[in-house]
Amino acid sequence: MSTINKSSSWKALNNHFEKIKLTHMRDLFDNDGDRFNKYHIQYEDFLVDFSKNRITDETLDLLVSLAKEAKLEDWRDRLFSGEKINFTENRSALHIALRNRSNKPILLDGKDIMPNVNKVLAQMKSFSNDVRSGKAQGYTGKKIKSVVNIGIGGSDLGPAMVCDALKSYGTKDIIPHFVSNIDGADIAQTLELCDPETTLFIIASKTFTTQETMTNAYSARSWLLKYLKNQESIKNHFVAISTNEAAVEKFGISKDNMFEFWDWVGGRYSLWSAIGLSIAIFIGMEKFEQLLDGAHDIDNHFKDAPLHENIPVMLALIGVWYINFFKLNTHAVLPYDQGLSLFPSYLQQADMESNGKFIDRNGEKIQYHSGPILWGESGTNGQHAFYQLIHQGTEVIPSDFIMPIHSHYSIGNNGNEHHKILIANFIAQTQSLMMGKTDKEARAELKNQGLDENIIKTLTPHKTFEGNRPSTSILFDKLTPKSLGRLIAIYEHKIFTQGVIWNINSFDQWGVEYGKQIAKLVLPKLIDPNETSGFDSSTNNLINYTKKNI
Ligand code: F6P
């Protein structure tokens, strides 16, 4: 079976790359005053400007042809239909069902799954309302004031990111905490902030076997019982979110305090499920449902929009253009919004755990790059950390700049409005990355400063900027539950699209198992007082050194 890099579109893109690789975006803009109008997509209040990318009409046409040769539209239909496209786990990837606001039936093995989805949403609504109203109380009759979500990966990153992003919608009466790391500091420092009588623990784990989560859960339970003594108190202070009812009951949480989700929900795609319970408690179920609404909007856009006018598809294909033809293997996500500070780390799991793969669907080693190294930081902080490299480094970093036009906070005045300054930086960065600064321009600037010729000669090369550094700008009106739902879904479908192009399974994660397996072998050696010798010399010495000095 021929692989995508043997396709005619891929070969045409290689030829096209050779023709365009040295073209500077300055010239593309100079030669086409209409460039922005041609290369942006407006979807309601979302504006996606991809004109500051190293593309032409021909580039996009060839990339769309590549998507068609990869049968993207067929795969999209298979995703939405519940086909078990996660074939190594024999599972569907039906996170779209969790936010299927149309409530049209979605059949899995011939059975409509929407009744179960709606049952759990109703359970979340009832419980979150009870916690927020004080009807659901602690064991000693006090209102819940702290909610501690204990989970890791998709059982942590999504809810933590959403609660952080939507803080301005959150109740002031309940503080959400997120404990994930096995490092005892994580839970210890959190418990220092909590009162056992007013703390609710949410044990979020699809498998209910993850070592970090279960260790933290038992420590939380011990902490609670140390103060409240009676086992009976567990039912007031612990709920579980899982697919594994038996393990939940074994821990000591009754199924009445369990919120189920299903194996057709991937961990990194699960914030829309009961894994989002901490979100619903913090911002209220009505706002949580607006988050679902936003994602559902994009599901429809992704399903219905022609590929050239399809936001996730365009982001995905432009990414493929850089990764597979420019050979640029990292991608920066730079949200100019303090609320989206956790968005890059959320996307690291969503993208890198989905597409960090080297074996294709046929079990063959792929002969091309797949998932990029995704990283980022909120602006303007990143400007004072790594923008030196983005502007003048030897690595070109394709970047997504993301920004709401309106802030929830109006602060500053007389030209010092914070948000206007933020917007100015956002736009200036994408412009300067694209334009660069020639040595002639740098020299003229230094001359205007009245510097003498020797200094000008010395400084000019250091003050020039190649430019031609690509970025996509994503703007929307305000960071609301709905716009956040849309933004997240855009990236979910971008990731799916790239996985289709690379012919990989974006929905399993065997790569995370191996390290866990070895950890299970190392742990007993750390506890065994005898000298360890069963590993390589580095591992043996690290274990023995640690044992000696612990
Ligand atoms: O990182 C591996 C992983 O399986 C993720 O895919 C998942 O989100 C995380 O661990 C937590 O898994 P669970 O929700 O089963 O505890």
Side-chain angles (χ1 to χ4, degrees), residues 128 131-133 143-147 170-176 281-282:
S128 56
V131 172
R132 288 165 63 90
S133 66
K143 192 173 181 301
I144 297 298
K145 291 182 181 168
S146 307
V147 170
T171 172
K172 299 291 183 272
D173 302 337
I174 296 173
I175 300 175
I281 292 171
F282 185 45

Side-chain angles (χ1 to χ4, degrees), residues 152-155 204-208 210 213 267-268 349 353 509 512 516:
I152 197 164
S155 298
S205 177
K206 180 173 178 180
T207 55
F208 227 75
T210 303
T213 301
R268 53 193 174 274
Q349 185 199 14
E353 193 167 271
Q509 53 284 321
V512 301
K516 292 180 189 176

Side-chain angles (χ1 to χ4, degrees), residues 209 225 359 496:
T209 58
L225 292 177
I359 298 295
F496 168 73

Side-chain angles (χ1 to χ4, degrees), residues 461-515:
H462 302 278
K463 295 237 178 187
T464 56
F465 293 72
E466 286 177 340
N468 220 14
R469 308 243 160 161
S471 67
T472 295
S473 298
I474 301 173
L475 288 169
F476 48 89
D477 183 58
K478 197 169 191 176
L479 187 58
T480 63
K482 187 166 196 170
S483 60
L484 181 59
R486 287 175 169 178
L487 183 68
I488 298 167
I490 284 170
Y491 277 92
E492 284 182 341
H493 292 313
K494 170 204 171 179
I495 291 161
F496 168 73
T497 299
Q498 291 189 327
V500 167
I501 302 286
W502 294 322
N503 193 30
I504 56 181
N505 177 5
S506 297
F507 297 105
D508 60 12
Q509 53 284 321
W510 301 111
V512 301
E513 300 307 321
Y514 186 37

